[in-house]
Amino acid sequence: MTVAYDDNNIFAKILRGEIPCHKVYEDDKTLAFMDIMPVAMGHVLVIPKCPAVELSDLPLDYAVAVIATAQKIIKAQRSVLNIQGITQMQLNDAQAGQSVFHYHMHLVPAHFSEVAKHETAMADPQALAALAAKLSAAIA
Ligand code: 5GP
């Protein structure tokens, strides 16, 4: 269950032009702009032009549009920044660290370890199997 969409969140204000941003790209369904506190230089956010808090309530046509814009941004980042490694991330809910409650995809020109961490320990296969079955049942 996501929080209710708040029309006064900072990205809604950016979409309405009430707050400035450093725009990189825009089309009818998406806007891409520089993150104001970049994890690495060239950190871009891609947002849909629809009210969605996070992944679970993002309409699929806007999800496709966000991906299409992200593909353009990645190509531009690689070309301009002369870097191949772009970490794509997106936080769902405050428990995951989400701080702005309008869906946004991060495209960070940096190795994943500069953004978060890779786990090195293998999980118990039985625990993985049990969880996979529970998740699968929850979808069915
Ligand atoms: P989250 O933690 O929700 O995944 O990411 C929110 C992101 O929005 C952060 O990386 C933060 O730096 C960025 N951000 C917050 N406020 C603003 C703003 O007013 N303008 C821009 N361009 N980015 C913002």
Side-chain angles (χ1 to χ4, degrees):
M1 188 68 178
T2 65
V3 297
Y5 186 81
D6 177 2
D7 277 328
N8 283 319
N9 76 73
I10 202 93
F11 292 169
K13 290 181 179 177
I14 286 176
L15 281 177
R16 291 195 295 266
E18 295 166 11
I19 288 179
C21 71
H22 297 284
K23 184 167 86 176
V24 176
Y25 175 81
E26 181 173 20
D27 59 25
D28 60 328
K29 284 197 168 67
T30 67
L31 174 68
F33 54 97
M34 305 308 293
D35 192 300
I36 206 166
M37 289 178 278
V39 173
M41 280 314 285
H43 181 170
V44 173
L45 301 173
V46 181
I47 67 174
K49 292 182 174 178
C50 68
V53 173
E54 45 120 290
L55 182 63
S56 68
D57 64 339
L58 180 63
L60 287 184
D61 53 338
Y62 282 89
V64 169
V66 165
I67 294 286
T69 295
Q71 289 181 334
K72 291 182 172 71
I73 301 298
I74 282 183
K75 286 172 187 160
Q77 286 171 315
R78 285 181 170 156
S79 154
V80 170
L81 302 168
N82 196 26
I83 183 171
Q84 283 302 302
I86 309 291
T87 295
Q88 172 193 338
M89 60 178 192
Q90 187 254 310
L91 313 181
N92 298 289
D93 196 87
Q95 281 188 354
Q98 185 178 5
S99 59
V100 178
F101 297 95
H102 180 111
Y103 176 98
H104 49 284
M105 178 191 288
H106 297 259
L107 293 170
V108 185
H111 190 278
F112 178 69
S113 62
E114 295 172 48
V115 175
K117 67 175 176 113
H118 273 302
E119 204 44 84
T120 51
M122 298 279 276
D124 170 21
Q126 284 185 338
L128 290 180
L131 204 45
K134 276 189 186 171
L135 291 169
S136 182
I139 293 169

